[in-house]
Amino acid sequence: MMNIKPSAAIRKNYNEVSELCKRSGEPVYLTKNGEGDLVVMDIATYMRRESMLRLRESLVIAEESRLQGNTGRSVDDVSAMMKAAVREVLDGHRK
């Protein structure tokens, strides 16, 4: 579910917007004059998204390398990297 609020909501009721971010685990989209203006989210959601972006970037780099003919890493190495990445995402989610 997309949470959309007018920008005045953050000025008038910061605590409500903050609680909505934390409770939903989703960003809140703020509008100004009926148009999208800002996105706010709690720090745990932000950290989780950043971790997932880093993981995706690593996977894209590895796939590009593989397509260029590089033999890459062993299955055990990749498994260990994936477990570490999942732990990072989960730990970011718990904070």
Side-chain angles (χ1 to χ4, degrees):
M1 178 176 111
M2 186 178 293
N3 296 309
I4 302 173
K5 299 277 185 187
S7 61
I10 202 155
R11 287 190 306 265
K12 292 179 182 176
N13 201 341
Y14 174 88
N15 291 334
E16 179 184 314
V17 173
S18 176
E19 181 56 34
L20 177 59
C21 289
K22 291 173 184 171
R23 185 177 65 249
S24 71
E26 295 293 328
V28 173
Y29 298 86
L30 300 175
T31 61
K32 185 175 182 180
N33 299 322
E35 299 289 326
D37 187 42
L38 297 172
V39 176
V40 295
M41 65 182 73
D42 73 301
I43 195 71
T45 300
Y46 173 78
M47 296 302 291
R48 186 172 60 251
R49 286 175 182 243
E50 287 296 305
S51 293
M52 287 190 290
L53 287 173
R54 282 193 302 275
L55 171 60
R56 288 178 182 158
E57 183 178 330
S58 295
L59 292 173
V60 167
I61 290 169
E63 180 62 8
E64 287 173 349
S65 179
R66 185 192 68 81
L67 291 172
Q68 293 174 1
N70 296 329
T71 56
R73 300 173 187 226
S74 71
V75 172
D76 290 338
D77 288 344
V78 172
S79 178
M81 285 173 37
M82 293 299 291
K83 287 176 184 173
V86 168
R87 268 193 311 274
E88 180 182 340
V89 169
L90 290 176
D91 288 345
H93 179 66
R94 290 183 191 123
K95 292 181 181 177

